Each structure stands twice: as structure tokens, then as C-alpha cells.
Amino acid sequence: MKFHQALLPALVGGAVGCASYHPAPLETGVAPGRYNARSISDSGFTAYRAAAGLPAAAPVWNPGDLALAALYFRAPLDELRARVNAARAAEQSAGARPRPGIAASGERNLEPSGEGSPWGVQLAGTFVVETGGKRGARIAIATSRTFEAEAELRATAQALAAEARQAALEVVSASDRAYVGRHEEQLLDSVLPRIKSRFEEGTIGQGTLLQFRQEQQAAHLARVQSESELRTAIATAAGIAGIPVPQLPELRRVEPIMTSCGPLAVLSPDSLQFLALASRWSVAAALAGYQVAEAELRLEIARQRPDLELGPGLFFDHGITRFLANFALPFLPGGNRGPIAEMEARRSTAAAHVASAQESVLVELDGALAQCGLIDAESRSADSVDATARARWSRTREAYDRGEVGELDVRLEGIAALRTHRLVVLANQHAAEGRSRLEAAVGVWSSDPAALWPDTLGQPARGQKEHQ
């Protein structure tokens, strides 16, 4: 009876410290309402912008504003933050030591004897002593996985910011193309009556009239296509930012047009390569994955050594109390070659992944540098052609003022100048894209006006509308 009285409180005490399960069913039907309720004027996003050093509200956004919105609203980052939290929780489990336990057995002598008690009861504690550094290897695996999860989150944030910036630049370029297309169509429409008048007067032939009408139709088609491209670019930019299309403000390229790839272009290719490999979190994530594989191999090697199981206790031997000291080895040392070979192969795979990640960054950087090398030449050529067309248009206007040419000639030269201006618009687009591509390849956060890189590991505070 004394044994049972001592055992019962111990078992009850262990049960009291157990956690209980609480179900958390998902409400999938609220997703449309939450998405439609997203607003750039939400208090949470306003605070997020303020933390980055930007004003609470801006009627016109630049590419950096769109990138900041993507980092705040997009759900994939929330998923990766949850993975980081799970990895951090796993660190506690990895460092836990084997919990002690209790082992008990009893016997009763059914035959009469002269013993003081027919009962024999054994009560012992169970303790596992880990050997070979298994606990240290588990901790190394857990900490490496935490850093891997954090690096993957930061790498995704870098890629998302670069994608958002590129999408914003496409909206700006599409807007410029649509603007030029609308003006060209308007000029051609204004010139058509005068062309018809000259045809009726017999000063031009039917072929010239038909050619001009074909140009007018082509301009109309180009204008429709450019406006369609603009709407598509706006929808793409809003999707990358994770906000409904009506919420997207007007996007402009507020930074001055540059004829080079910005400050990074002054660095040597070797310096840019080292900077890219040190700044890109995709490389850091691959390196963390290698550390995970290294620690897993270490753990499998440590498992060759068996743990020592101790069981000191008491034996109530039919009225006589005895002390017990048990120990056990679950298996003999050695073996485990199969899992070790598997972990060695995984480590080799992780090393190859590191090389692949580094190569991808270097290839991306080479492509960006190649594009940057053509920007200055394209900009100079476009500016030269544009200046020549504008000069011809100016001389034609001066000739018109002197009465030497008609108004139709002035309008036709204006149309030619507008068409050559497309080359400048295209060159500006390529310059902005080249700078953005180089900064994305190097892993540099760029925003004009300057904004601080937000804390991507921390969960942004959601405004009230996000929770309705």
C-alpha cells in the first residue's frame, strides 16, 4: 500500500503538466472579403511606410513605393515568417535532453511461505545519457534550419521587391508609349482633311492618300495596343503588390532619367561579383542548407555510439528493501553505415546547390552588365536622332512663318518628330530597366526618394480593415 500511495501522486503530477489540444479550423470563405478590403490608406500600411521613412500618403507612387507595398501585403512572406517561427520553436526541441521516467513491476507469491509479505515490488527511475555529441548535432541542425528559413524569407523579399520595381517601370514605360500613341493619332487625324483637300485639288495622287490612310489606321491600332499594354501592366503591378487594381495609385518615374546604370556602374566587375555573392540572400540560404546537411551527417555519425540507459531504484523483496542499479546499451557500437552514406550524399547535393546558387547570381550579374554596356550608346543615338528631327521641325515652322511652306508641311514634320521621340522613350525605358536589373542582381535595395529597407522578419501590424 505504501508503494501505491507514493506512485499515484507522481503519475498525477506528471499529467497536470501536459498541454491540451485546441482545434483551430480555417475559415477559407473570408479570403475574398479580406482581399477586397485591402487599402493603401490602411493604418497598418501607413505605419509601415512611416517606419521606412516615407510619408503616410502619396498621390503618385514611384517603383520603390510599389515594392514596399508588396513587402507589406503579399501573403507568401507571411507564410515564410510562419516557417521561421516554426524553425525557432524547433530549436527548443533540439536542445531538450531525454526526460527521466519511472519503471515499476510487481509480483505476488501464490504459494504459502514463511516470508513476511507475499508481495514483491520493484520501483526504479529511468535515465538516458546521450553519447557521441548527439544533442550538439541536433542543436546545430535546428539553428542552421532557422537561419535557412530566415535567409529564404529575405531572399524572397529581395526577389519580390525587384519584381515590383520592374513592374512599376513597365507601367511607366507603357504610360509613356500610350501618351505618344495618342498624340500621333490626334496629329494624323488633324492632317487627314488637308491631305484629302490636296488630293481633290490634284496636287497629290491616290497612292499618297491611301498610304496616309494606312498610316492613320496603323497609328490607331498602335494606340489601342499601347493602351491595352498599359492596362495589363497596371493589373500586373497591382497583383505583384497584392492590392486590388482600383487601389493602385498613379505610377511615375520620379527619379531623373539616367544614361547609365547608376552608382553601381562605376565599380569593377570583380567588385560587383563579390558584392553580389555577399548581398544576395539566395546564396546565404543555400549555404545554410549546406550547414543543415553537415549537421545531419554529424548526427548520423554520432548515432553509431549507443546511449547509456540507467535505472537506479528500490526493490521491496517480500518485506526486505533492496537497492537496484540497472544499466543498458540499446545496441552495440558501430553500424549505421547506410544512413551515414545517405547523409554524405545529401551533403554533396547541398554543396552542388551552393555552387548552382552562386552561378545563378553571377550569370544574372553578367546579363545586367551586358545590358548596362549598351545603355549609353543607345541613349546618345536616340538623343541625336531626336535632336535632328526637332531641328527639322523647327526649321519648317520658321519657313512657314516666312510663307515658304504650308501648314500641312509643319504638321507632317511634327508627326515625324513625334515618331522619332519614341526612340528616346524606349532608350529611357531601357536605362531604367538596366539600372533596376543591375541593382537586383547585386542585391541592393534602391528607392527614390530614399526609403529604409523594412524588417522583413517581423510580422507587419495589420490595420483594422485587414481583419474585418
Side-chain angles (χ1 to χ4, degrees), residues 105-148:
S105 63
E107 65 177 31
R108 186 179 188 280
N109 190 355
L110 300 180
E111 298 294 334
S113 65
E115 297 176 346
S117 172
W119 289 95
V121 179
Q122 176 179 316
L123 175 63
T126 58
F127 303 90
V128 177
V129 179
E130 290 186 306
T131 62
K134 298 183 184 67
R135 180 173 179 269
R138 290 199 308 271
I139 293 176
I141 293 173
T143 54
S144 297
R145 284 178 175 169
T146 297
F147 183 73
E148 182 181 25

Side-chain angles (χ1 to χ4, degrees), residues 74-379:
R74 288 297 299 275
L77 295 182
D78 291 338
E79 178 183 355
L80 291 174
R81 291 187 188 100
R83 292 184 182 179
V84 171
N85 293 333
R88 289 173 178 172
E91 290 187 45
Q92 301 178 8
S93 303
R97 298 183 184 275
R99 297 176 60 185
I102 297 176
S105 63
E107 65 177 31
R108 186 179 188 280
N109 190 355
L110 300 180
E111 298 294 334
S113 65
E115 297 176 346
S117 172
W119 289 95
V121 179
Q122 176 179 316
L123 175 63
T126 58
F127 303 90
V128 177
V129 179
E130 290 186 306
T131 62
K134 298 183 184 67
R135 180 173 179 269
R138 290 199 308 271
I139 293 176
I141 293 173
T143 54
S144 297
R145 284 178 175 169
T146 297
F147 183 73
E148 182 181 25
E150 293 176 352
E152 288 178 352
L153 169 59
R154 296 180 188 273
T156 302
Q158 276 187 337
L160 190 58
E163 185 182 7
R165 187 182 180 195
Q166 194 67 30
L169 291 175
E170 178 56 34
V171 171
V172 174
S173 299
S175 178
D176 291 342
R177 294 193 299 270
Y179 176 82
V180 173
R182 286 192 296 269
H183 276 264
E184 181 181 2
E185 184 182 20
Q186 291 173 359
L187 286 174
L188 288 172
D189 289 343
S190 67
V191 170
L192 182 59
R194 293 173 173 80
I195 296 294
K196 289 181 178 179
S197 297
R198 287 196 174 186
F199 172 72
E200 293 172 355
E201 294 171 358
T203 56
I204 61 173
Q206 187 177 13
T208 303
L209 176 62
L210 293 177
Q211 180 182 359
F212 188 84
R213 284 180 173 175
Q214 183 179 3
E215 292 180 1
Q216 183 193 30
Q217 293 171 354
H220 173 74
L221 176 60
R223 190 264 303 170
V224 172
Q225 290 176 339
S226 64
E227 291 182 348
S228 175
E229 292 173 355
L230 175 59
R231 288 193 295 269
T232 301
I234 290 175
T236 300
I240 292 174
I243 59 177
V245 174
Q247 284 291 321
L248 184 66
E250 180 183 357
L251 288 167
R252 292 181 184 174
R253 189 191 300 114
V254 297
E255 68 267 18
I257 300 299
M258 301 188 67
T259 58
S260 67
C261 280
L264 293 176
V266 301
L267 299 177
S268 66
D270 291 342
S271 298
L272 288 175
Q273 286 180 340
F274 283 109
L275 180 59
L277 293 177
S279 302
R280 291 290 296 274
W281 281 98
S282 57
V283 176
L287 290 171
Y290 180 80
Q291 291 300 321
V292 171
E294 180 79 13
E296 288 178 338
L297 174 59
R298 173 184 164 188
L299 178 60
E300 290 300 333
I301 292 177
R303 284 175 176 167
Q304 293 181 112
R305 299 183 179 181
D307 296 334
L308 180 61
E309 298 181 0
L310 302 178
L314 298 175
F315 180 33
F316 300 95
D317 186 8
H318 304 280
I320 301 175
T321 303
R322 304 177 188 275
F323 176 74
L324 301 175
N326 298 325
F327 74 94
L329 293 176
F331 55 87
L332 295 178
N336 209 34
R337 296 306 305 171
I340 290 176
E342 180 183 354
M343 290 303 106
E344 288 176 341
R346 289 187 181 182
R347 185 176 63 174
S348 299
T349 302
H353 180 60
V354 172
S356 176
Q358 292 175 330
E359 181 183 275
S360 297
V361 170
L362 296 177
V363 169
E364 185 178 346
L365 178 60
D366 272 351
L369 289 174
Q371 182 176 354
C372 287
L374 302 175
I375 287 177
D376 288 338
E378 182 184 9
S379 297

